[in-house]
Amino acid sequence: MTTFVLIPGAGGAAWYWHRVVPLLTAAGHTAIAVDLPGANPTAGLREYERIVLAAAAGADRVTLVAQSMGAFTALGVCDRLPVEQLVLLNAMVPAPGETPGQWWDNTGHEFPADFDEHAHLLHDVPPEVGAAGASHQRPEADIAFAQPCAFDRWPDVPTTVLASREDRFFPYDFQARVAHERLGLDVVPTPGGHLAALSQPEAIVAALAPSAVRNLH
């Protein structure tokens, strides 16, 4: 079976994956949701990489899964783990040496001027799940936005880019363009919004490990 190493986006809360982990483990896989110190003003991408490497120590047959800004951490560790597959979910697909702060201008995507947490991120998340997540929310400190992604070329690892059709933060067509321009890949459409692992956990697990969902029914 596969070890899924699950990297969250900005803020770094492992809780983001809490609806995905039990579905993977029930199907016999190992699922490691990594918690990152996103709010720590002295931690950044290099510290995130160390934490992911420590969490995955000893694992083999790794599928590395990164949500949103988590892609910048994933690409920094991909060559240092036995990664069989890299999966990016509604991700900031990085270029070599790019910082998360540069990514916005480089991809031509602007942070929504009218940003509203519910409208852009939580619109399709069940209310009870969103309420439970309030205590897990934390900001992303500035330090990580100024640090370059630690890879020189895209790793020689099969890569899948999952893009949610109802994502209001990184719209589907935008994600498709970036994946094509930067990786030459077509995105794999999934239901849900930006936080699809919270709103559509079975669909995300089906995309990660199709047999896992079949085995649960």
Side-chain angles (χ1 to χ4, degrees):
M1 291 294 186
T2 298
T3 296
F4 289 87
V5 178
L6 307 168
I7 303 174
W15 180 88
Y16 170 73
W17 298 106
H18 82 282
R19 302 189 75 194
V20 166
V21 167
L23 297 178
L24 291 171
T25 56
H29 299 289
T30 298
I32 302 170
V34 183
D35 201 63
L36 302 175
N40 186 335
T42 64
L45 296 181
R46 305 293 83 83
E47 180 61 20
Y48 300 172
E49 292 162 9
R50 286 191 286 271
I51 292 169
V52 171
L53 291 170
D60 55 14
R61 299 197 60 200
V62 169
T63 292
L64 193 61
V65 186
Q67 154 76 12
S68 197
M69 186 176 167
F72 276 80
T73 299
L75 269 297
V77 301
C78 207
D79 284 339
R80 292 183 276 171
L81 289 172
V83 177
E84 292 189 337
Q85 185 177 20
L86 173 64
V87 181
L88 306 179
L89 172 60
N90 298 327
M92 297 171 68
V93 178
E98 185 176 56
T99 71
Q102 293 168 335
W103 177 90
W104 298 84
D105 285 341
N106 290 350
T107 59
H109 188 56
E110 294 184 2
F111 191 91
D114 60 346
F115 177 76
D116 176 84
E117 184 178 71
H118 185 271
H120 288 92
L121 301 180
L122 297 172
H123 57 96
D124 67 324
V125 175
E128 66 277 10
V129 176
S135 63
H136 297 274
Q137 293 180 12
R138 54 198 183 212
E140 180 67 40
D142 290 340
I143 182 173
F145 289 102
Q147 294 181 329
C149 195
F151 74 112
D152 297 321
R153 63 176 182 84
W154 202 263
D156 187 19
V157 173
T159 301
T160 301
V161 181
L162 305 179
S164 295
R165 289 196 177 278
E166 293 80 42
D167 193 334
R168 297 177 181 176
F169 193 55
F170 296 162
Y172 178 85
D173 288 346
F174 163 72
Q175 292 195 54
R177 174 177 64 78
V178 172
H180 185 266
E181 290 177 352
R182 294 197 162 192
L183 303 177
L185 294 176
D186 293 328
V187 298
V188 176
T190 61
H194 192 66
L195 304 181
L198 292 177
S199 63
Q200 297 284 345
E202 285 204 358
I204 298 307
V205 170
L208 297 177
S211 63
V213 172
R214 290 198 298 269
N215 291 341
L216 295 175
H217 294 287

